[in-house]
Amino acid sequence: MAGRKKTTTAAAVPVNTAASTDIVPVGRGGFLGHIVGHLAGKALPYTAPWAGAAALPPLAGWATHHMWGDAPLSAGLASAALAVGGAALTATAWKTTPAGTKFGKFRRAQLSASVAAGMGWLTTATAAGPFGSPVLDAWLIGGGLFAASWNVRQIIRNGASGDTETTETNGGMAALAEAIGWEKVKVKDAKGTGKGTVKAQIEVAPSGTIEAVQGTTARVAAALQVPPSGVIVTPDPDNAAQGTVSLRVADLLKDGVPFAPPVALGLLPTEDIPLGLYADGEVWAINPFAAAILQHLLVMGVTGAGKSEFLRSLVVHLATRRKMTVFLIDLAKGRQTVGHIADGIDWLIQDAKEAKRMLRALPAAIKARGDVLAAEGLDQWTPDSSLNAMLVWIEEAADVSDFTELEEIARKARSVGIWLGISLQRATWTNVSTDVRANLQGSVCFGVDQPGDAAFGLPDSVTDAGAIPAWGSDRPGYAYSTGMGQPQARWTTEVRSGLTDREELAALVAAGAAYRDPLDETTATALGQAYAQRAHKGTNRLTPGITAQAAPVLAAVPAPAAPYDTDEDEFMSAAEQAAEIEIQDAYDDVMGMIPADPEPDADYAALRLEDDVPDTDDDTGMEFEQSGRMGTEEARHTLYAELDGWVRQGRLEFEPADLIPATVATGRQRPWMQGELRRLVDAGLIQRDGHGSYTILHSPLQPA
């Protein structure tokens, strides 16, 4: 029965198989040992303060009392020394303990108090002994409180939330934030790029703004001991409370950047133009003709900042490409800057009069190019057009043209494939108007003397981020670059242009002559006599002596038909050109001394073109004969022949008074002459400037 009952009982007891897998069957002793071991493991980290409080004070007190406590003099001196040392040690603990957070401040106070209490007890124990009352009582009570306080701190730290842990580990950044005014800025995800730059995400508190953080970049740079331009803060376009801080901690460009030659000869204008390196070592390249909108370029910087190196690099790259033409105006030091690469420039201008001719002729060329693009079904220039892309570069534009003229060119040239580049030291309103500057949407700003000057050449979003090249000429070649196909995220990254070698550049330009296309016939014809009679003619694949290379070259564009035999002028030597310029300058000086109007008291002062020819002067024997009145066509031919003769002589500027002899010869008067001038202006054969003078664009006898 008993065995039967036992069997029944066993069968009636349910067995939880799931629970049985989690419980390790041990005996009574084994189970208690497991519990004791677990508790000992948990308690062990908290025993260190108790062990230190129990052992260190009595041992140290007994040692110092045994050494100096027997003699009153020794005990007094030792106590004094320990008191001074204890104060110094407490101060050191206070100063060296980080306290950028609330938890850090508590830790500093606790550590300093512990050091002060321990050194005070040791000083007393040295003189009175460690085991007498009340020194022994102070050790028992104070040591227990000391150990317990450190246990509390350990419990709080180990049980703290993730936010407290983050605050603890970021104590160093918190101290820096307090020093530079970033107490309400969270810095997270700081990562080094491996290229001398550290980037991190920042977030401001509800009461702060990213703009306010941008205003502190100078203080951050000083605190981190990096260059003023080494701290860039850019806002997040999608979240006004967030942004990115970039810290350039190493300068990878300080040893210079080599010139990057073209990857091939005969490229199209729409290929990238490498000009140097970014601060992180990536290639700095622009691509104005492939951008959605052709953005004219403003280059700014003080003398010696690197503008000329940049220009040479740009011109050489374009001079090795097909379907590309370069015009360049430099009245100050054109040959000095680009003389060794002048063959790659189709029209290099160093004379103010010739510069004005070119700028006055450009509107007609812009209109003609627009008509061709419209006929080709193109909204803007592409390599599919029959026209060349063009670069028109102007150094110190304020010395060359008036603002109205430049503004018209800048506004209209973009869509027809004419890229305008203007270079100057300071783009203030006195040097280039705000209307012109508004059309210069690309920029390369080299070193400036005053931080405020950078705002004339760079967008506000760039300067607000701290990207201000206020280093003058101390860092030649360094700059900030915007637009022209560059990613906007790169606008606040420093660049440095390549260092060029004169012989290397000259060799590249010479090699590129076999690929350079001459200016297309449409543009050349529209530019008229100013282009046909240009003083400098660059080389191209149609120039005699240039052998075409076996490379993919577009179909040849017919060279513009010369209205006259200009072979001798075309290959005029440099000495002959210089002589002609010198003669023209002397002529201008002499003519400048002749008054434009007759002397007020002269006998002929009242004589006007409208008056009849005066009677014979009996005193002088001079006789005036009134010419017969010519027919309209004959009179016009006489006037046009006068203009045509000037063109053949290379004279393209005149004033209405210069046509008085021809007008008198036709038997006509001033109103008729003025009407004919207006007629020629409307026909696009001449152009009137703002001072009453005219420029001949085409000979009336050789119309476009």
Side-chain angles (χ1 to χ4, degrees):
M1 293 293 292
R4 190 175 177 181
K5 183 177 180 180
K6 182 176 181 180
T7 303
T8 303
T9 303
V13 177
V15 178
N16 189 340
T17 57
S20 66
T21 61
D22 295 332
I23 298 177
V24 179
V26 294
R28 178 180 296 273
F31 180 77
L32 290 178
H34 176 74
I35 295 297
V36 171
H38 176 73
L39 293 177
K42 290 290 186 179
L44 185 61
Y46 298 94
T47 59
W50 292 95
L56 291 178
L59 290 177
W62 176 84
T64 56
H65 179 71
H66 180 74
M67 293 175 64
W68 301 300
D70 294 338
L73 179 59
S74 299
L77 292 175
S79 298
L82 288 172
V84 173
L89 188 59
T90 302
T92 301
W94 178 272
K95 288 291 185 181
T96 58
T97 304
T101 64
K102 292 181 179 179
F103 193 79
K105 293 177 181 178
F106 168 76
R107 178 179 55 188
R108 180 173 65 180
Q110 182 189 32
L111 179 60
S112 301
S114 299
V115 172
M119 291 302 298
W121 184 88
L122 182 60
T123 301
T124 304
T126 300
F131 303 115
S133 182
V135 177
L136 180 62
D137 301 330
W139 164 51
L140 294 175
I141 298 174
L145 293 176
F146 161 79
S149 70
W150 282 91
N151 285 165
V152 170
R153 177 181 175 277
Q154 288 175 289
I155 293 172
I156 294 175
R157 183 183 62 187
N158 294 336
S161 65
D163 292 340
T164 305
E165 286 296 325
T166 302
T167 303
E168 172 71 15
T169 57
N170 288 340
M173 177 57 74
L176 174 62
E178 183 179 5
I180 62 178
W182 279 20
E183 300 95 332
K184 298 181 179 180
V185 179
K186 292 183 180 179
V187 181
K188 54 186 179 181
D189 299 332
K191 297 178 181 178
T193 63
K195 297 179 179 179
T197 302
V198 175
K199 292 187 176 182
Q201 301 299 314
I202 58 175
E203 182 176 346
V204 297
S207 59
T209 64
I210 294 295
E211 288 74 15
V213 177
Q214 289 178 327
T216 65
T217 54
R219 294 202 297 271
V220 177
L224 299 178
Q225 298 183 4
V226 299
S229 59
V231 180
I232 304 297
V233 176
T234 54
D236 185 335
D238 300 323
N239 190 333
Q242 295 181 354
T244 302
V245 57
S246 176
L247 309 175
R248 183 173 55 77
V249 297
D251 187 356
L252 304 182
L253 312 179
K254 63 180 180 179
D255 294 329
V257 174
F259 168 73
V263 295
L265 299 176
L267 298 175
L268 287 170
T270 49
E271 298 291 335
D272 283 352
I273 307 172
L275 296 172
L277 296 177
Y278 285 101
D280 57 9
E282 296 295 326
V283 175
W284 168 38
I286 64 174
N287 199 334
F289 291 104
I293 298 177
L294 180 60
Q295 296 177 317
H296 298 317
L297 172 61
L298 171 63
V299 176
M300 198 178 78
V302 300
T303 300
K307 301 191 300 296
S308 296
E309 290 277 16
F310 169 83
L311 174 60
R312 285 190 285 264
S313 296
L314 177 63
V315 169
V316 167
H317 273 280
L318 297 181
T320 63
R321 302 190 174 195
R322 48 198 173 109
K323 293 188 74 69
M324 185 72 220
T325 298
V326 178
F327 292 174
L328 193 149
I329 299 175
D330 189 348
L331 306 184
K333 52 178 184 176
R335 285 284 173 182
Q336 179 182 354
T337 302
V338 296
H340 54 297
I341 57 175
D343 282 346
I345 302 172
D346 189 49
W347 194 356
L348 174 59
I349 300 175
Q350 298 175 265
D351 175 70
K353 184 180 295 185
E354 188 177 10
K356 292 181 183 297
R357 291 178 186 176
M358 188 261 274
L359 294 176
R360 291 171 184 172
L362 271 179
I366 291 172
K367 182 179 184 303
R369 290 170 66 90
D371 293 341
V372 170
L373 291 174
E376 294 174 342
L378 299 174
D379 292 329
Q380 61 182 22
W381 182 89
T382 72
D384 297 330
S385 173
S386 62
L387 306 175
N388 278 14
M390 295 178 63
L391 167 63
V392 177
W393 189 275
I394 307 174
E395 289 284 335
E396 299 298 338
D399 298 336
V400 177
S401 176
D402 60 65
F403 295 154
T404 303
E405 197 170 53
L406 278 178
E407 194 273 332
E408 179 185 3
I409 295 172
R411 179 166 42 87
K412 297 180 179 179
R414 180 181 294 110
S415 63
V416 299
I418 298 179
W419 183 29
L420 179 64
I422 292 179
S423 175
L424 35 70
Q425 294 190 27
R426 296 178 72 241
T428 60
W429 66 271
T430 57
N431 292 330
V432 57
S433 72
T434 54
D435 291 336
V436 174
R437 198 164 63 224
N439 284 283
L440 306 176
Q441 297 176 316
S443 62
V444 178
C445 188
F446 292 90
V448 295
D449 285 332
Q450 300 297 328
D453 291 346
F456 295 118
L458 293 172
D460 291 342
S461 60
V462 175
T463 55
D464 289 345
I468 300 175
W471 51 70
S473 59
D474 293 338
R475 304 173 71 201
Y478 285 85
Y480 289 103
S481 179
T482 69
M484 301 175 291
Q486 299 170 95
Q488 189 166 353
R490 283 300 209 174
W491 292 6
T492 55
T493 304
E494 282 184 14
V495 298
R496 189 173 189 183
S497 60
L499 298 172
T500 60
D501 177 79
R502 297 178 70 89
E503 294 182 358
E504 179 184 6
L505 298 189
L508 282 171
V509 169
Y515 305 92
R516 284 194 294 274
D517 289 313
L519 181 61
D520 56 273
E521 186 175 6
T522 297
T523 307
T525 302
L527 290 171
Q529 300 300 324
Y531 179 75
Q533 297 186 13
R534 64 194 188 279
H536 168 86
K537 296 179 174 65
T539 62
N540 56 63
R541 59 184 176 81
L542 298 185
T543 301
I546 299 298
T547 303
Q549 301 293 321
V553 179
L554 297 180
V557 180
Y564 315 112
D565 183 8
T566 59
D567 288 346
E568 292 183 1
D569 292 337
E570 183 171 357
F571 299 102
M572 184 183 299
S573 67
E576 291 171 330
Q577 293 181 19
E580 281 202 353
I581 294 174
E582 186 175 350
I583 293 172
Q584 183 64 45
D585 290 342
Y587 172 83
D588 293 341
D589 292 341
V590 173
M591 295 302 294
M593 294 185 291
I594 300 176
D597 297 320
E599 295 296 332
D601 55 348
D603 294 337
Y604 55 86
L607 181 63
R608 299 177 302 164
L609 183 61
E610 293 84 349
D611 298 337
D612 293 332
V613 176
D615 297 332
T616 301
D617 188 338
D618 297 333
D619 295 334
T620 62
M622 296 178 62
E623 296 183 1
F624 295 90
E625 180 180 353
Q626 180 73 51
S627 300
R629 184 182 179 87
M630 296 181 181
T632 301
E633 293 303 320
E634 184 181 5
R636 284 176 177 168
H637 182 80
T638 300
L639 191 68
Y640 296 171
E642 184 76 6
L643 297 176
D644 183 68
W646 290 343
V647 170
R648 291 176 181 271
Q649 299 169 10
R651 176 184 176 185
L652 299 182
E653 290 81 18
F654 69 92
E655 295 182 359
D658 299 334
L659 289 173
I660 289 179
T663 304
V664 171
T666 64
R668 303 303 178 107
Q669 296 182 345
R670 184 182 294 272
W672 176 84
M673 179 186 68
Q674 292 175 338
E676 289 302 311
L677 291 178
R678 284 194 296 271
R679 188 168 177 271
L680 293 173
V681 170
D682 294 340
L685 299 177
I686 65 174
Q687 178 178 337
R688 186 179 188 276
D689 67 13
H691 304 286
S693 61
Y694 291 82
T695 298
I696 304 174
L697 304 179
H698 300 273
S699 167
L701 299 184
Q702 297 287 336

